[in-house]
Amino acid sequence: MKVGIELGTTSAGEPAKLDLEELLSTRLLVQGNSGSGKSHLLRRLLEQSAPWVQQAIIDPEGDFVSFSERFGHTVVDAERSPGELQRIATRIRQHRASVVLNLEGLDAEEQMRCAAAFLNGLFDADRSVWFPMLIAVDEAQLFAPAVAGEVADDARKASLGAMTNLMCRGRKRGLAGIIATQRLAKLAKNVAAEASNFLMGRTFLDIDMARAADLLGMERRQAEAFRDLDPGQFVALGPALSRRPLGIRIGAVDTAGRSGRPSLMPLPETSRDALEDLIFDASAEVLPMPASSSSRSIATADLMRRIETSKAIDMAPEPEADPRSEAERQELLDGIYAELLSDPEAAFRPVPLLYQDFQFHCRLRKLGGFGQDMSAFRRRLALARAGISAESGDEAWQQVLSVSESLPEEMQGVFLLVARAAREQAVCPSDEALARAYGSHSPSRGRWLLTYMGEQGLIRCEADFRGNRTVSIAGVGWRTLPGSPKGGGKPAAAISKLASAQALMFGGRETGEPDEEPEAIPAE
């Protein structure tokens, strides 16, 4: 079936047609500097061909997600494992679904790995589902670079191999590549050489103009014409477009991307003093509070953890009533927690072992089942290690305690430790202190914990020019003082202060309190 889609108008004012069936066999390369209209051209081509052929769009900036509303494309979030992306790609070919692979928010290396896994899944599909399919790759120089960059070598090789398979061997599998790049010099030659159709937009560098002229069969003296092209103007050549170089102006589109051409706007009318307050006043800055755990979907691992730690149904007869009041039993519990935390090695013992010791002490004091739920124990232990009380009436503290529940239980104590230091405007805890609160001897684990909590939007970690670290707590505007990640000096004193507070909370001695100082050895 012959289908001619209209890209726009020629320089003579006639409709500029593209043979869609021929494009599926011969592939397309689009080149143009930033602002030349490449994304607009891709959008026009994909909009016109959407009713006729299955499409997959590799979108590094999230500009094409609007296709889901207008044309029913499924948006695939790239924050998945490689195996899951490959399985999704296989089902896409089976059901002939048009999709947008949204890579927005990932760094260059992660984008390359995700695109490689997705393209390999499309390429390795069973022969029975080799239906015609357009694969549009915006900013193709990111996925098929001509030279090695700062990304890992294995990620570059995987992405380049997938792009080469798409352009060199994809035709027999029904895959037609449409790649757009800012510069031909940045794009791997093996990928660019397999395209038979070309749309060349505005270009300024001599090397790119010369390569564009060679691809279009133009003389070198004609190459400077690419500098004079307006945004949205392209020179077309290829069996699906024109047998001779033909000037085309791309037509209008029905959808819009998130980014567009910048436009001028007036500056705010704010005095210099007010601007200085806004720029330099850190206390006025409040990070947005992430959604609490109750509003998030429960992951499989979290669900299994809740099942494992849930309280078993006790079918035994109820014991006799305890004559002691709740306050007295609570005081006994406080003593048990203080005794557990007085052990210097308690921070490095697994929570299930601590829970066994806790239950043993509860049986000795005949507390029955009072306060012995595993989830409650983990929560109370995290609060104790942070040196705070769950009964704090402060609304801001209750907000922080609620948000901490979105973290895994073993991380909650670390988050609360940092939050308490920020609340008291103490120096930021060192990596060693954070690792100890997590139950690890490795300081690098402390750095990783801050990175993870920052990715979840719970904190923001910054370092000054001296390497001192400052942490801000989202939603409440609390901020620690700068502290060295390696500890020593003021940070150590601040951690000692927190240890004193947690000991006072349970009525015991300070955790990690040193023994009596040894007698000094007299000098000879």
Side-chain angles (χ1 to χ4, degrees), residues 335-343 346 349 354 357-358 361 377:
I336 294 174
Y337 278 101
E339 186 174 352
L340 289 177
L341 291 174
S342 65
D343 182 4
R349 296 181 62 195
L354 289 175
D357 291 348
F358 171 73
H361 287 290
F377 174 77

Side-chain angles (χ1 to χ4, degrees), residues 261-315:
R261 296 184 64 84
S263 58
L264 296 176
M265 60 190 330
L267 295 175
E269 297 180 359
T270 308
S271 65
R272 188 188 68 178
D273 294 339
L275 283 176
E276 290 180 353
D277 292 340
L278 292 174
I279 293 172
F280 298 113
D281 186 7
S283 62
E285 181 181 9
V286 178
L287 301 179
M289 177 65 73
S292 62
S293 58
S294 59
S295 62
R296 297 181 180 179
S297 58
I298 302 176
T300 304
D302 294 335
L303 182 60
M304 295 299 296
R305 189 184 301 111
R306 292 188 182 187
I307 294 174
E308 293 172 355
T309 60
S310 60
K311 186 176 180 180
I313 300 176
D314 189 3
M315 302 303 294

Side-chain angles (χ1 to χ4, degrees), residues 3-251:
V3 176
I5 63 175
E6 187 174 331
L7 290 180
T9 57
T10 65
S11 54
E14 298 178 353
K17 298 282 188 177
L18 182 144
D19 189 338
L20 187 56
E21 188 176 36
E22 187 67 28
L23 177 64
L24 292 172
S25 300
T26 53
R27 298 168 292 280
L28 173 65
L29 170 63
V30 181
Q31 188 266 346
N33 290 157
S34 179
S36 62
K38 297 187 308 301
S39 298
H40 181 85
L41 186 155
L42 282 182
R43 190 176 296 275
R44 172 75 180 190
L45 191 158
L46 294 169
E47 286 181 357
Q48 296 295 313
S49 61
W52 303 101
V53 65
Q54 182 186 1
Q55 299 174 347
I57 306 171
I58 310 298
D59 186 8
E61 299 295 338
D63 283 339
F64 292 89
V65 295
S66 56
F67 272 58
S68 63
E69 300 177 0
R70 178 67 175 80
F71 299 100
H73 287 51
T74 301
V75 178
V76 179
D77 187 358
E79 294 183 353
R80 303 173 185 271
S81 66
E84 188 176 3
L85 281 175
Q86 290 184 352
R87 292 190 293 272
I88 290 174
T90 300
R91 290 194 289 270
I92 287 170
R93 297 218 69 181
Q94 291 175 349
H95 300 288
R96 303 189 68 183
S98 293
V99 298
V100 178
L101 179 63
N102 183 16
L103 302 177
E104 183 184 16
L106 304 180
D107 60 31
E109 186 173 319
E110 292 173 337
Q111 288 186 347
M112 296 176 81
R113 295 184 190 276
C114 289
F118 184 76
L119 290 175
N120 287 334
L122 297 177
F123 186 84
D124 295 334
D126 188 75
R127 180 183 291 270
S128 61
V129 295
W130 286 0
F131 302 111
M133 188 175 187
L134 285 181
I135 312 295
V137 184
D138 198 10
E139 306 296 345
Q141 75 277 357
L142 300 177
F143 308 103
V147 295
E150 297 180 355
V151 299
D153 194 51
D154 59 330
R156 182 185 64 85
K157 288 182 178 180
S159 180
L160 180 57
M163 289 288 291
T164 303
N165 282 337
L166 170 65
M167 298 299 289
C168 297
R169 302 169 56 198
R171 184 181 65 85
K172 293 183 179 180
R173 289 166 171 77
L175 303 177
I178 302 175
I179 56 176
T181 181
Q182 293 183 4
R183 292 190 58 200
L184 288 171
K186 290 184 177 181
L187 189 65
K189 292 183 178 180
N190 289 341
V191 174
E194 296 301 323
S196 301
N197 300 284
F198 306 96
L199 283 165
M200 300 297 175
R202 184 172 61 184
T203 305
F204 291 99
L205 292 181
D206 294 340
I207 184 174
D208 292 329
M209 290 191 296
R211 287 193 62 181
D214 289 341
L215 288 173
L216 297 180
M218 300 168 60
E219 297 181 3
R220 290 296 180 96
R221 59 185 177 84
Q222 297 177 304
E224 293 187 359
F226 291 109
R227 289 176 175 166
D228 301 327
L229 295 176
D230 294 329
Q233 283 187 327
F234 290 83
V235 179
L237 178 69
L241 293 164
S242 173
R243 299 294 178 179
R244 296 289 183 271
L246 177 66
I248 293 177
R249 180 176 291 277
I250 305 302

Side-chain angles (χ1 to χ4, degrees), residues 24 57 85 135 340 365 367 372 375 381 387 454-455 477 488 493 495 508:
L24 292 172
I57 306 171
L85 281 175
I135 312 295
L340 289 177
R365 290 164 175 80
L367 288 174
Q372 297 185 47
S375 297
L381 188 65
E455 292 174 350
I495 300 307

